[in-house]
Each structure stands twice: as structure tokens, then as C-alpha cells.
Amino acid sequence: GNPTFSAFTMDESVKATLKSIPLLTIKAGPRDGEKWKDRLKEEYKALIKYVEINKQNDQHWFTVESNAAGTRWFGKVWTYHNNHKYEFDLEFDLPVTYPQTSPELALPALEGKTVKMYRGGKICLTQHFHPLWARNVPHFGIAHALALGMGPWLSVEVPSMVEAGTLKPQEEKPTE
């Protein structure tokens, strides 16, 4: 069926973005052989589309790629606050129960800087995220986790950490 966005108030821009990311159809995880390869192709198509949409709207904020098996992912995420860019390494492994279980997105450099984070720098998603994910298996993928989880988390937590003094603007690299 169609994804269910009800039961939780979502920023209109997040809702619009979410609707523009292609839904996935293949219910396969890392242990599912050929079906997993097909799922991985869908994941990449959705991610590419999401990046294209972000670039068109001048809102490009992440890069991500995976190992050959598609089980370990890494990249960068960034956001701007008070005209400063804050950029962090992103990493996550897909759980063996993926896509039934959402990935745990981590920003290791921020570990210990906010209460909205678990050990290893895994971001703490809102209470609404997991039920929404569960209702939308197998349609949601990595692009959806970034749009629904990481994007909103960065936009709230980075300003909060800056105001609390736990996060400082990154130094601009001096040019020689």
C-alpha cells in the first residue's frame, strides 16, 4: 500500500521531500543473495533521485556510498548554522534484519556532545520514526532514513550543541 505519514506532525518540506523519493519494492536484506542485489539497485536509484532533488533545491547536504556488499555505508553530512558549515563523517551498517529494521545512522565525531545520541555516535531518532518505518516496510530505504532521520536531527541538534557550547565552528583551512 501507500506510505502512511499520519500520526506524526512532519515539517511540510520533509513531507514533500519524502513523497519525491522513490519507494522501494523489493523486500530483501543483506543475506538474501540475488534479491539483495536487486534491492541494492533500488536503494541506489532512490539515493540518486534524492540527491538530484536536493541539488535542484540547493539543499544538497550529504554524500554516501557503500562497500561492495552494500552492508556498510559511509559518507559525509553537513549543515549550516549562523553562516558556519558543520560537516561530519557518517557511517552505518545495515542490520541483518534490514529492511524490517531501520539502519542506525552514526556520526562518531559527535559522540558525547549531545544526549540525543547513543554509544558510538548513533543518533537518537524521534519516537515517531520507528513506527513510521515499520508501517512502510519494504518501501522505505536508506534515502528515507536520511530524509526522515538524519536531516531533521542535524537541523535541531547542531544549533542546540552550538548554543550549549559543545560544538564549535570548524576552522577554515588557511590557504598557503
Side-chain angles (χ1 to χ4, degrees):
N2 286 334
T4 321
F5 301 125
S6 61
F8 115 77
T9 54
M10 198 184 308
D11 179 295
E12 286 305 313
S13 66
V14 173
K15 208 179 281 186
T17 299
L18 209 51
K19 287 182 175 170
S20 64
I21 300 170
L23 295 173
L24 289 76
T25 59
I26 297 166
K27 190 174 182 177
R31 293 181 173 168
D32 294 325
E34 286 304 310
K35 273 185 78 181
W36 172 242
K37 288 180 185 165
D38 293 339
R39 168 75 186 204
L40 216 43
K41 286 178 192 154
E42 279 192 326
E43 292 281 1
Y44 269 109
K45 279 183 187 161
L47 281 163
I48 289 165
K49 180 71 176 161
Y50 185 29
V51 167
E52 284 171 357
I53 292 161
N54 287 340
K55 285 182 175 177
Q56 284 165 6
N57 296 320
D58 200 25
Q59 294 174 341
H60 185 49
W61 62 275
F62 72 89
T63 60
V64 68
E65 59 184 291
S66 75
N67 63 1
T71 53
R72 180 154 190 77
W73 293 74
F74 41 91
K76 299 235 181 252
V77 296
W78 58 90
T79 189
Y80 292 88
H81 178 65
N82 293 340
N83 297 320
H84 291 285
K85 184 179 184 180
Y86 295 87
E87 183 175 274
F88 312 100
D89 288 332
L90 165 70
E91 62 182 51
F92 57 96
D93 294 317
L94 291 184
V96 292
T97 52
Y98 184 83
Q100 288 81 341
T101 308
S102 63
E104 292 185 315
L105 307 172
L107 305 174
L110 294 180
E111 184 173 11
K113 293 187 185 288
T114 170
V115 295
K116 298 284 174 72
M117 186 166 268
Y118 302 112
R119 197 171 62 210
K122 292 177 178 164
I123 68 167
C124 181
L125 298 167
T126 70
Q127 64 194 20
H128 309 292
F129 178 84
H130 296 290
L132 185 66
W133 183 278
R135 281 196 307 275
N136 289 288
V137 171
H139 306 299
F140 280 6
I142 292 160
H144 302 85
L146 289 167
L148 267 176
M150 183 58 74
W153 189 93
L154 282 172
S155 67
V156 170
E157 289 306 309
V158 166
S160 174
M161 287 182 278
V162 170
E163 303 311 319
T166 55
L167 186 62
K168 303 267 185 267
Q170 283 132 333
E171 294 299 313
E172 297 294 318
K173 307 265 188 300
T175 49
E176 309 253 332

